[in-house]
């Protein structure tokens, strides 16, 4: 058995289109593997196949080491109820997270405009393998970041998986928030 790990990278690790009132909370989880200065990064969305938008400057997160951060849309009350273990210092609200399950997102290095990581493609994701309408997607442990979307590095739950789940158990537990690990266990060849 071999262990593969990566260091000092920023990676999108989950995306959630939850189903409480108003289709919320919507959440994008990002992991800082090593020490990451988030003043260098912007999160962008491609809505319904359109161009990637102006984006959300992640500077408000400052510098983080081996930590998860979250960008969400919806009310803070709903976010806190459904993701109770996320500290207030680890999340920020942005319309960039207001995804409807068919929107792509990407993380860019702001100065160079280089794409660091991507979920989805710049098409309407309805019916695509990466569609997460009323559902969620989680990065496979030990993978990423991927400048070009790689479906093999994601587990995407079927659309509508989260229907009628609001209040039954927290979405934090259902989607496994904060569970990504940088180590991938592989079998010897």
């Amino acid at each position: 058995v071999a262990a593969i790990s990566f260091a000092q990278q920023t990676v999108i690790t989950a995306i959630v289109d939850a189903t409480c009132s108003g289709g919320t909370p919507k959440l994008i989880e990002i992991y800082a593997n090593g020490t990451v200065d988030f003043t260098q990064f912007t999160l962008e969305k491609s809505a319904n196949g359109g161009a990637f938008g102006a984006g959300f400057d992640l500077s408000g997160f400052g510098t983080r080491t081996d930590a998860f951060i979250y960008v969400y849309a919806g009310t803070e009350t709903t976010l806190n109820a459904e993701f109770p273990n996320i500290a207030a210092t680890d999340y920020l609200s942005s319309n960039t997270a207001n995804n409807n399950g068919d929107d792509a997102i990407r993380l860019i290095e702001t100065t160079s405009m280089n794409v660091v990581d991507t979920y989805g493609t710049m098409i309407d994701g309805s019916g695509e393998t990466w569609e997460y309408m009323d559902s969620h997607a989680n990065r496979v442990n030990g993978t990423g970041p991927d400048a070009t979307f790689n479906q093999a590095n994601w587990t995407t739950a079927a659309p509508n998986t989260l229907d009628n789940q609001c209040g039954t158990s927290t979405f934090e537990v259902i989607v496994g928030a904060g569970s990504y690990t940088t180590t991938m266990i592989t079998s010897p060849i």
Side-chain angles (χ1 to χ4, degrees):
V1 176
I4 301 170
S5 64
F6 304 90
Q8 299 193 15
Q9 296 176 327
T10 305
V11 61
I12 301 166
T13 53
I15 185 167
V16 179
D17 179 27
T19 56
C20 292
S21 178
T24 64
K26 297 174 187 295
L27 187 81
I28 299 166
E29 178 183 84
I30 301 169
Y31 184 68
N33 181 19
T35 299
V36 173
D37 178 2
F38 279 101
T39 65
Q40 305 298 313
F41 295 94
T42 302
L43 190 64
E44 297 181 333
K45 172 176 70 172
S46 166
N48 302 315
F52 279 95
F56 179 63
D57 179 356
L58 298 174
S59 293
F61 290 110
T63 300
R64 304 293 176 108
T65 302
D66 299 328
F68 291 97
I69 62 164
Y70 300 87
V71 177
Y72 80 98
T75 69
E76 189 171 10
T77 300
T78 304
L79 176 75
N80 291 332
E82 293 297 327
F83 293 89
N85 292 308
I86 298 176
T89 56
D90 295 338
Y91 62 79
L92 293 172
S93 176
S94 171
N95 194 46
T96 301
N98 193 16
N99 300 313
N100 291 315
D102 59 0
D103 300 330
I105 58 166
R106 70 182 183 182
L107 186 62
I108 64 166
E109 196 279 320
T110 308
T111 305
S112 68
M113 295 302 290
N114 287 332
V115 177
V116 175
D117 200 10
T118 303
Y119 182 83
T121 59
M122 214 170 68
I123 61 170
D124 183 327
S126 299
E128 298 294 320
T129 57
W130 56 271
E131 180 184 10
Y132 56 94
M133 182 186 74
D134 296 345
S135 188
H136 62 99
N138 298 79
R139 179 173 288 284
V140 173
N141 288 335
T143 67
D146 303 302
T148 303
F149 178 59
N150 183 351
Q151 180 68 63
N153 289 343
W154 289 87
T155 301
T156 306
N160 304 311
T161 298
L162 299 179
D163 284 352
N164 303 312
Q165 297 297 313
C166 184
T168 61
S169 177
T170 64
F171 285 124
E172 180 174 64
V173 171
I174 295 169
V175 305
S179 63
Y180 172 80
T181 179
T182 58
T183 303
M184 176 191 300
I185 304 300
T186 60
S187 298
I189 298 175

